[in-house]
Amino acid sequence: MVIQLENVWKIYQMGDVQVPALKGIDLEVKKGEFLAIAGASGSGKSTMMNLIGCLDLPSKGKILLGGDDIAGFGESQLAQIRGQKIGFVFQQFNLIPTLTALENVMLPLEFQDVDTPAAREKALEILNLVGLGDRVHHLPSQLSGGQQQRVAISRALAVDPEIILADEPTGNLDSKTGAFVIDLLSNIHKKDSKSVIMVTHDFQLVKRAERIVYLKDGEIERIEHKPKEQGGEFA
Amino acid sequence: MKINKSLKLAVNIIVHSKLRTWLTIIGIVIGIAAVVAIVSIGEGMQQNIESRLGGLGADIITISPGGGRASVGFRGGHGGGMPGSTATSAAAENLTKKDVLVLQSVGGVEFIQGIVSGNGQMYYLGEKATVSVEGIDPLVWKEMTTSELESGRFLGPSDYNVVIVGGRIAKDTFKQPLTVNRMITIEEKAFKVVGILKESGGFGGDDSKIIMPIKAARDTLEDVGSDEFDSITLKVANTDDVDQIMEEADKKLMISRHLTEKEKDFRISSSQSVQETMSDITQTMTLFLGAIAAVSLLVGAVGIANTMFTSVLEKTKEIGIMKSIGAKNSDIMMIFLLNSAIVGLVGGLLGICLGTGISSLLPFLGMRLMGMGREGMTTVVTPMLLIYALLISVGIGMVAGVIPAYRASKLKPVDALRYE
Ligand SMILES: Nc1ncnc2c1ncn2[C@@H]1O[C@H](COP(=O)(O)OP(=O)(O)OP(=O)(O)O)[C@@H](O)[C@H]1O
Ligand SMILES: [Mg+2]
């Protein structure tokens, strides 16, 4: 699914002050692309991810997913897109603390009315894939950061979405665990040809992407292309 | 999202905030228990009245002397067992044979009899007691009474100094129980007991009466003239006609006795009308007390709403997470609504258990504290009451949860996710 941003603005209203977080972004992300977004803190990276992920709507401009303007969608349609087409991975993992790893991974499937046995099977399959087959009944609090992030990635993959959005997925992990998580993401990208958009500060990780968008003060500063062979090498 | 999944998530929330949920539930438990207990007292009173008045027979109309159309009286013939009811009324003019003749012309009346009644001193084996004596027409009484014989026989037309004894007098009044063929003395006249009645337990029946032929009663009780009756009872052929016959009897008596509405000196009542009036009173009382109990339910509802708001606030981030992985507003709404419905349901279940328990203890407490007799207080918990209580508690849970659940569902995903 192609993602197009056309002159996208996001302006936050803080009392009387208007804070522009994004100022006229134009970008097209191709199907199956591995894109990194880099930039200083406060440059608008998360804002952009939230818009692409249909968690928020732009103040101005258009966001097209597969050619459809998301501004035209109602609440339940947006929820459906989030549930079926997009998988989120957050810096803080954002697992439901009272559900086990397995239940967390099953949850997006249950929102899509997949019946329990099928959801369970799928969730177990993915958890096995990320090497957590022996931790499925653990609560998030009983898992390490890296394990939690792998559960979160499993959850993002559960509904087999076309786009994976990862906002600083390694931000709370040490570099070794971080590298493992990035490997996982780039593997997903290569194997299943899903579009992956990842926000990161880490220059080592940025290099794994096929294309890097540098944001500065809500604007695209520059875009760096990398030859496909160099991007996403799998350790 | 399917309802069973929403339910699972709702239960998950409850399971992970046990203390707060239990505290909320207690509010509902107390309210529902109070309502159940109070309504059970009302229902008990209702049943008490019904069973006690049942002894009167639904097809019997009683006419007795005494003014005042508004006052519901049941005295004389079939009310002798009621405490405080005396046989004769000094002020009112007694009913006469003429009245009986007039009443005979009322359509739909199957049997009619004039009754003489009063209190008399009774002696039995050296013991003395004041009893209520009723003089009846042996042939008609047999047809009209709802009492049954425990032993012996009914009175016959040729009987004179024989009596039938109410079950309670026979069993409880004297040290030595009365049995058939015993001799007793009433107002210095000797009588032979020929029949003992079964105890009916109600206050409308003949449990505390001595029944004798009317001739004997006239001779025994001092103040009854030879043509006069203390009451007249009618038995109607069809129970449905009771109201209509009462009206007609009333009209005819008024005319024959040359009375205006103001001068009216007799009362007509049926067990039905008495029962209805009593039911109205208990119902009003139950409603009033129930309303007071319902206030505590209101407090419980506010408790649920408060807990739900807290819960939604606490779960804001999780709501954001669920939305980011595909939860619709309706999914979130359902989860939180079910959450509060469960709180209501559990509170209701525990409440009806507690309420039923309290209501079964109340008669004992009533006996102890207020010195009421065994029959002083009964409580009845009907299945309908329990079903209603449960429905109300679930309803309260849902109503109290609607606004918090709606607020939760309307949270913007980004804002919810940002919440710490
Ligand atoms: N809800 C909000 N209300 C007001 N201002 C906001 C809001 N969200 C973001 N901003 C502002 O928008 C700008 C961009 O924020 P954003 O979170 O996108 O930055 P970022 O690039 O993700 O930064 P970081 O690397 O620290 O996560 C910031 O200046 C921030 O203060
Ligand atoms: Mg950010």
Side-chain angles (χ1 to χ4, degrees):
Chain A
M1 195 160 64
V2 187
I3 306 160
Q4 291 159 287
L5 284 75
E6 291 176 6
N7 189 30
V8 167
W9 285 72
K10 183 70 195 180
I11 300 161
Y12 291 108
Q13 191 78 40
M14 299 278 287
D16 291 340
V17 199
Q18 293 195 326
V19 183
L22 293 177
K23 303 179 222 173
I25 301 285
D26 285 296
L27 184 70
E28 185 172 318
V29 185
K30 288 186 225 28
K31 187 174 173 352
E33 193 178 347
F34 189 173
L35 182 87
I37 301 172
S41 179
S43 57
K45 307 182 293 293
S46 294
T47 304
M48 197 167 129
M49 291 290 263
N50 291 340
L51 291 177
I52 295 171
C54 298
L55 291 175
D56 206 356
L57 293 171
S59 313
K60 251 194 290 185
K62 277 186 193 167
I63 296 177
L64 304 158
L65 292 182
D68 297 318
D69 188 351
I70 65 167
F73 291 142
E75 176 274 322
S76 76
Q77 274 169 303
L78 289 173
Q80 207 165 328
I81 293 173
R82 289 196 293 266
Q84 293 172 353
K85 310 266 190 241
I86 295 166
F88 271 100
V89 180
F90 301 94
Q91 180 177 351
Q92 297 92 350
F93 320 136
N94 282 354
L95 298 171
I96 307 281
T98 54
L99 299 179
T100 63
L102 179 63
E103 288 167 334
N104 264 291
V105 179
M106 283 169 71
L107 197 54
L109 291 165
E110 284 166 350
F111 282 125
Q112 297 310 315
D113 286 345
V114 176
D115 56 357
T116 308
R120 203 183 154 81
E121 197 181 324
K122 177 89 188 176
L124 284 171
E125 179 195 319
I126 302 171
L127 281 166
N128 273 318
L129 208 74
V130 301
L132 286 176
D134 55 345
R135 295 282 192 280
V136 295
H137 296 303
H138 286 228
L139 290 172
S141 58
Q142 298 162 335
L143 295 169
S144 74
Q147 287 169 334
Q148 287 186 57
Q149 195 59 304
R150 279 186 275 162
V151 174
I153 291 171
S154 305
R155 180 180 65 185
L157 292 174
V159 291
D160 213 359
E162 294 176 42
I163 305 163
I164 301 282
L165 299 177
D167 192 347
E168 302 194 43
T170 61
N172 281 350
L173 303 175
D174 62 54
S175 56
K176 195 164 153 263
T177 323
F180 181 82
V181 164
I182 297 300
D183 287 343
L184 201 58
L185 283 175
S186 70
N187 198 20
I188 290 158
H189 155 68
K190 273 206 278 194
K191 214 177 83 208
D192 303 336
S193 67
K194 293 185 194 305
S195 313
V196 176
I197 304 179
M198 176 179 75
V199 170
T200 183
H201 290 290
D202 190 328
F203 278 98
Q204 289 304 112
L205 299 177
V206 162
K207 283 186 195 134
R208 306 283 292 268
E210 294 163 350
R211 196 151 66 115
I212 306 158
V213 175
Y214 290 93
L215 283 187
K216 194 182 175 191
D217 296 335
E219 287 172 303
I220 296 181
E221 192 185 25
R222 64 194 160 94
I223 299 181
E224 221 176 83
H225 290 264
K226 301 188 103 192
K228 203 157 184 138
E229 307 84 64
Q230 265 182 289
E233 62 208 74
F234 187 55
Chain B
M1 180 173 235
K2 294 197 181 100
I3 187 102
N4 58 332
K5 296 290 162 210
S6 313
L7 196 65
K8 216 179 88 187
L9 289 172
V11 169
N12 186 274
I13 294 175
I14 287 174
V15 168
H16 285 89
S17 58
K18 283 195 195 96
L19 181 63
R20 187 198 304 149
T21 306
W22 277 119
L23 290 175
T24 314
I25 285 173
I26 285 172
I28 291 297
V29 170
I30 292 170
I32 288 290
V35 168
V36 167
I38 284 174
V39 174
S40 80
I41 296 174
E43 299 254 12
M45 274 164 37
Q46 189 89 7
Q47 274 206 6
N48 227 338
I49 287 164
E50 269 164 33
S51 74
R52 283 169 180 231
L53 291 177
L56 288 172
D59 49 2
I60 302 291
I61 295 173
T62 304
I63 296 112
S64 48
R69 122 164 293 209
S71 67
V72 178
F74 46 112
R75 31 151 296 163
H78 283 271
M82 173 94 163
S85 76
T86 50
T88 48
S89 162
E93 204 168 316
N94 265 354
L95 299 163
T96 62
K97 273 205 171 117
K98 191 181 155 205
D99 294 322
V100 173
L101 287 173
V102 168
L103 289 169
Q104 249 159 6
S105 70
V106 175
V109 175
E110 200 176 10
F111 293 104
I112 182 161
Q113 73 170 335
I115 288 171
V116 167
S117 53
N119 291 338
Q121 290 293 325
M122 168 173 171
Y123 294 88
Y124 170 60
L125 296 178
E127 278 183 82
K128 191 171 97 171
T130 304
V131 293
S132 160
V133 175
E134 198 159 282
I136 49 92
D137 179 342
L139 286 177
V140 181
W141 187 79
K142 218 169 16 192
E143 305 293 338
M144 289 177 67
T145 187
T146 53
S147 299
E148 287 169 50
L149 281 172
E150 171 99 31
S151 58
R153 63 169 175 86
F154 279 132
L155 300 177
S158 61
D159 280 332
Y160 180 70
N161 50 359
V162 297
V163 294
I164 295 178
V165 178
R168 203 174 297 152
I169 294 184
K171 283 201 191 98
D172 301 336
T173 307
F174 302 100
K175 277 187 204 124
Q176 188 82 26
L178 261 175
T179 53
V180 173
N181 291 330
R182 292 280 187 173
M183 294 303 291
I184 58 170
T185 307
I186 299 171
E187 296 288 315
E188 282 137 35
K189 276 187 157 57
F191 291 91
K192 192 172 104 179
V193 176
V194 294
I196 306 283
L197 294 175
K198 272 189 192 153
E199 218 170 331
S200 72
F203 51 42
D206 298 323
D207 288 347
S208 304
K209 282 185 207 161
I210 300 281
I211 312 286
M212 62 175 68
I214 191 160
K215 286 172 281 167
R218 282 195 207 286
D219 298 342
T220 310
L221 302 171
E222 291 157 4
D223 52 355
V224 198
S226 61
D227 269 359
E228 294 181 350
F229 300 109
D230 290 309
S231 62
I232 298 170
T233 56
L234 314 176
K235 181 176 165 139
V236 304
N238 187 344
T239 324
D240 297 338
D241 300 335
V242 167
D243 286 338
Q244 183 199 321
I245 291 171
M246 274 171 75
E247 221 166 281
E248 196 185 334
D250 188 66
K251 237 180 258 163
K252 287 200 164 156
L253 274 183
M254 296 279 278
I255 294 168
S256 90
R257 288 169 79 94
H258 307 291
L259 296 172
T260 65
E261 197 65 38
K262 268 188 195 155
E263 300 163 336
K264 186 168 172 180
D265 61 356
F266 63 92
R267 285 179 288 190
I268 299 189
S269 61
S270 70
S271 58
Q272 270 185 0
S273 65
V274 171
Q275 200 164 317
E276 274 160 25
T277 313
M278 297 287 274
S279 291
D280 279 354
I281 296 168
T282 50
Q283 250 163 30
T284 312
M285 232 172 83
T286 307
L287 216 71
F288 176 69
L289 292 174
I292 293 173
V295 171
S296 63
L297 267 181
L298 202 70
V299 176
V302 173
I304 292 187
N306 187 41
T307 306
M308 288 294 297
F309 275 118
T310 315
S311 180
V312 166
L313 205 64
E314 196 184 77
K315 298 273 164 197
T316 302
K317 177 122 191 180
E318 288 174 40
I319 292 165
I321 295 169
M322 289 200 262
K323 287 198 160 188
S324 76
I325 59 171
K328 294 189 176 75
N329 286 3
S330 56
D331 294 327
I332 303 293
M333 177 99 185
M334 187 55 94
I335 290 168
F336 282 92
L337 257 191
L338 285 173
N339 183 351
S340 62
I342 292 169
V343 168
L345 180 72
V346 174
L349 281 173
L350 293 178
I352 62 178
C353 289
L354 183 65
T356 310
I358 290 173
S359 110
S360 65
L361 288 178
L362 274 176
F364 298 104
L365 278 180
M367 226 156 60
R368 286 272 158 72
L369 297 180
M370 293 176 247
M372 281 197 255
R374 214 171 342 124
E375 301 120 44
M377 190 189 218
T378 40
T379 54
V380 177
V381 179
T382 61
M384 267 332 256
L385 170 58
L386 298 186
I387 290 168
Y388 278 131
L390 216 53
L391 286 179
I392 287 171
S393 60
V394 173
I396 283 177
M398 297 197 46
V399 168
V402 161
I403 296 171
Y406 181 76
R407 283 252 295 252
S409 76
K410 285 289 173 204
L411 284 172
K412 262 174 72 184
V414 253
D415 297 339
L417 271 172
R418 196 176 265 279
Y419 187 89
E420 288 299 336

